[in-house]
Each structure stands twice: as structure tokens, then as C-alpha cells.
């Protein structure tokens, strides 16, 4: 779903949240992206008593978005190898494979330790790693992400 569908997704998730927890959504914290702003959004916030809070630039949310971007880029590279199938056919599997690979790679922030090792205290089982059908990962310029060129 595109960024234009974000309000519809929030409406469904807010209703589910209220139904499951019995609690009202009071704050929506976002990265300040334009997809969470505008008259339609403001009317929704006002109608439901939601405060829109924006995270500071370069906060942990920025690191999380960077990580998600890496997974999506590597997943896209993986799924692009399956040329006979629709592009989205293996997207979930390709992104899960990419996340697993990133999880087992040495990380600069952890002084060369992998996120897997930091979380479990054990070395990652590299003997279980395998290729997804992609010989190399090509980084796309931010302006061209989402295009198939």
C-alpha cells in the first residue's frame, strides 16, 4: 500500500486497538513525514482526540527506518531475480531472507559483533545461510527506489 493509504490503515488499526484493549489512542508518534499531515489528517486527529507527536531528526526512529530501507532494498534485489514471476510474488520471503542475512552480519555499532550474537550470546549459524538467487545487491539512489529501472 502506498503512502496515500496510511490514513485508512491507521483508522483500521485504531479501531482494532480500541476493540482489543478497551483503551483510547491518545498519541500518534511519526517521523514527521508528509503522509501524516494535512487537513484530512488534522480532522481525524481532532475527531478522535489524538495528539500528533513527531520524533526528532536523527533519532532512533531514523535508525529503524534506515534498517527497514536496507531490508527492502536487499529484498527487492532478491525478488528481482525471479523474472518469470510477478515482482511481488516472493517479496515477503525475499525481505525475510534479507533481514536474516543482515541480522547475522558484523555490525559497526556493536564493534563487529552481529545483532544475532548480541541478542543470543552465540555466534550466528553461518553454515545455515544460503543464497536467495541474487548474485549481488545494487543500491538504488533514494530518488529511484520503487522503480524497476
Amino acid at each position: 500500500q502506498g503512502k496515500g493509504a496510511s490514513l485508512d490503515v491507521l483508522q483500521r488499526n485504531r479501531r482494532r486497538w480500541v476493540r482489543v484493549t478497551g483503551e483510547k489512542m491518545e498519541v500518534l508518534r511519526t517521523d514527521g513525514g508528509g503522509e501524516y499531515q494535512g487537513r484530512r489528517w488534522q480532522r481525524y486527529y481532532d475527531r478522535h482526540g489524538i495528539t500528533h507527536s513527531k520524533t526528532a531528526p536523527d533519532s532512533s526512529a531514523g535508525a529503524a527506518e534506515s534498517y527497514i530501507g536496507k531490508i527492502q532494498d536487499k529484498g527487492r534485489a532478491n525478488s528481482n531475480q525471479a523474472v518469470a514471476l510477478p515482482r511481488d510474488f516472493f517479496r515477503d520471503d525475499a525481505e525475510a531472507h534479507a533481514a536474516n542475512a543482515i541480522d547475522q552480519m558484523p555490525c559497526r555499532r556493536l564493534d563487529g559483533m552481529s545483532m544475532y550474537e548480541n541478542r543470543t550470546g552465540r555466534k550466528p549459524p553461518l553454515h545455515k545461510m544460503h543464497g536467495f538467487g541474487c548474485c549481488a545487491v545494487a543500491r538504488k539512489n533514494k530518488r529511484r527506489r520503487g522503480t524497476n529501472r
Side-chain angles (χ1 to χ4, degrees):
Q1 296 181 2
K3 288 186 176 189
S6 55
L7 183 56
D8 297 330
V9 171
L10 176 66
Q11 289 172 341
R12 282 195 308 273
N13 288 328
R14 187 196 62 80
R15 284 191 299 265
R16 184 181 312 139
W17 171 263
V18 170
R19 188 176 62 246
V20 171
T21 67
E23 297 177 6
K24 177 185 165 208
M25 178 186 282
E26 296 177 3
V27 177
L28 175 68
R29 183 164 303 204
T30 68
D31 63 356
E35 68 267 27
Y36 304 106
Q37 299 174 22
R39 283 187 293 233
R40 224 176 123 210
W41 277 94
Q42 195 56 53
R43 281 194 306 268
Y44 186 78
Y45 297 146
D46 294 342
R47 187 172 348 125
H48 296 286
I50 298 171
T51 302
H52 181 207
S53 171
K54 299 172 190 160
T55 59
D58 300 324
S59 65
S60 62
E65 286 200 14
S66 173
Y67 180 72
I68 290 167
K70 285 180 188 177
I71 290 172
Q72 290 173 334
D73 285 347
K74 291 178 188 315
R76 192 177 300 115
N78 286 340
S79 63
N80 281 346
Q81 295 299 308
V83 292
L85 298 168
R87 290 250 185 251
D88 294 339
F89 191 78
F90 288 117
R91 176 173 283 160
D92 292 341
D93 294 327
E95 288 180 357
H97 184 271
N100 185 49
I102 292 170
D103 192 45
Q104 296 184 36
M105 291 177 166
C107 180
R108 218 176 327 179
R109 288 184 180 177
L110 298 174
D111 294 324
M113 187 186 316
S114 71
M115 289 185 280
Y116 177 91
E117 187 175 359
N118 186 51
R119 188 177 61 250
T120 65
R122 297 186 319 264
K123 294 278 186 189
L126 299 178
H127 66 281
K128 292 184 177 181
M129 290 192 72
H130 57 86
F132 190 80
C134 181
C135 299
V137 174
R139 295 274 305 162
K140 278 192 174 185
N141 184 319
K142 286 184 182 184
R143 291 180 297 116
R144 294 184 53 191
R145 285 186 188 157
T147 64
N148 292 326
R149 291 186 276 144

